[in-house]
Amino acid sequence: MIIIIMLGIAASIRGGVGIGRRLSFAIRKESLTWHRNLLVQNQSDSFNYTPSVVCCFLWAQRPGVVLENFARHMSTASLELRTDNDFVRFSITKDGYSAKEKKSMKKVPRYVKMSKKAKLNELRLYRLKAKKKMNSPNPEVRIRYKLEKAKRKEAWLIEKLRKLEVPKTPGEAYDPEILTDEEKHYFKRTGEKKKNYVPVGRRGVFGGVVLNMHLHWKKHETVKVTCKPCKPGQIHEYAEELARLSKGIVIDIRPDNTIIFYRGKNYVQPKIMSPPDTLSKDKALEKYRYEQSLEHTSQFIEKLEKELENYQEHVVRYKKRKEAAVDSAIADDGLSQITNQS
């Protein structure tokens, strides 16, 4: 058997083909009958042969580069005779596994990137399904499609607004000054007479508003903050937020959505006039647009839910009327048959 193995290895190396495939083919062809007889006698499953004797034979036959290549591949390998699934096979392994098994073990599932054509086909299919639902003769299908689409948009807008939220950093301990009624009245009249003001528009309170307040407080003790547009009750939220960020004192909140701020007796202009826990001008505008879109989307969802509820009630009433009409028709047929029989 060792001679047969040596002859098969030598023939495979002289052929100049890969060691693994030609070696297994030559050995399988020459020793298939012998191994089957041996299996019947010994009832064995597999045999392992070390390549020491094979290397000695190759040293005498093919010294040089071929021997070096073979020794490099066979230094830690073993020749294994496998009998899986009633088949006899020879294979060269380094750690008890064949090359095919090792390749399958190393194989890691990777993310398959979709081609451009596959993406276009998927989008086209989605548009066809959406068009079919939008043009459906059933009103409930159309309403439900619009409702699902609006809810997806609402979730997307909420996620966008969550990303734009700025965590409030714990600031320094601030003790507001206590003013008497006479001082408040004086600063109120002074603020009303002054023409300097800071506008708060659709962006709301952001870093630029606080910066402008500090710039006005360089030359004036008071400053007016006008809020337009402003929802009912929102002016008080703006007053609290601006007092926290600017460390100013709220003197008066007028009915025309104007707040009068006093800078304080011991006012010192901060080094960073725009607080770090506020949005920039562009981010504040982006947040305003998302808020407006979310408000309109929520109103649209409420409208669609009400419309769907009304349609379902209409369907129930229609079924009841239809059942009542069928019952009355059956009753009329029964009366007519009774009159005809009489």
Side-chain angles (χ1 to χ4, degrees), residues 188 191-192 223-224 249-252 258-262:
K188 178 180 177 183
E192 289 174 353
V223 65
K224 288 187 290 186
I249 302 171
V250 179
I251 299 298
D252 186 29
T258 303
I259 312 168
I260 299 175
F261 280 95
Y262 171 56

Side-chain angles (χ1 to χ4, degrees), residues 107-228:
K107 194 172 182 181
V108 178
R110 295 184 301 172
Y111 173 73
V112 181
K113 188 177 180 181
M114 292 180 65
S115 62
K116 188 175 180 181
K117 188 175 180 181
K119 289 181 180 179
L120 291 174
N121 290 337
E122 188 176 358
L123 288 173
R124 191 178 291 112
L125 180 63
Y126 177 76
R127 291 192 189 102
L128 288 174
K129 288 182 178 179
K131 189 175 180 180
K132 187 176 180 181
K133 289 181 180 179
M134 288 174 65
N135 300 330
S136 174
N138 190 354
E140 186 174 359
V141 175
R142 296 197 301 268
I143 296 171
R144 287 189 180 278
Y145 169 73
K146 293 178 183 178
L147 190 60
E148 291 174 2
K149 189 175 179 181
K151 286 183 177 179
R152 287 198 302 269
K153 184 179 180 181
E154 186 183 30
W156 178 77
L157 290 170
I158 291 172
E159 182 65 20
K160 286 288 184 181
L161 288 172
R162 187 186 63 79
K163 290 180 180 179
L164 287 174
E165 289 180 357
V166 180
K168 295 181 180 180
T169 57
E172 300 177 358
Y174 172 65
D175 187 14
E177 299 175 9
I178 299 173
L179 301 176
T180 61
D181 295 337
E182 290 80 7
E183 289 176 334
K184 287 184 179 179
H185 180 71
Y186 168 75
F187 290 126
K188 178 180 177 183
R189 294 292 300 272
T190 305
E192 289 174 353
K193 290 178 181 179
K194 298 286 184 179
K195 293 184 179 180
N196 58 312
Y197 72 98
V198 175
V200 176
R202 56 183 181 174
R203 291 179 176 86
V205 177
F206 64 100
V209 177
V210 184
L211 173 65
N212 289 335
M213 291 175 67
H214 285 295
L215 292 176
H216 279 284
W217 281 340
K218 280 184 178 181
K219 297 182 179 180
H220 306 281
E221 291 183 330
T222 59
V223 65
K224 288 187 290 186
V225 178
T226 59
C227 306
K228 292 179 183 179

Side-chain angles (χ1 to χ4, degrees), residues 222-282:
T222 59
V223 65
K224 288 187 290 186
V225 178
T226 59
C227 306
K228 292 179 183 179
C230 191
K231 298 177 183 178
Q234 196 174 19
I235 188 68
H236 297 281
E237 297 177 5
Y238 285 165
E240 293 178 3
E241 187 71 12
L242 288 171
R244 182 184 69 85
L245 294 172
S246 65
K247 304 296 187 294
I249 302 171
V250 179
I251 299 298
D252 186 29
I253 299 176
R254 301 178 61 183
D256 57 346
N257 293 333
T258 303
I259 312 168
I260 299 175
F261 280 95
Y262 171 56
R263 67 183 183 181
K265 296 176 183 178
N266 303 320
Y267 171 73
V268 178
Q269 191 179 60
K271 294 181 180 180
I272 301 174
M273 291 185 284
S274 181
D277 57 342
T278 54
L279 295 173
S280 63
K281 188 175 182 180
D282 296 336

Side-chain angles (χ1 to χ4, degrees), residues 7-26:
L7 290 174
I9 294 172
S12 64
I13 294 175
R14 287 196 181 95
V17 189
I19 295 174
R21 294 180 61 187
R22 188 58 71 96
L23 176 63
S24 60
F25 174 75

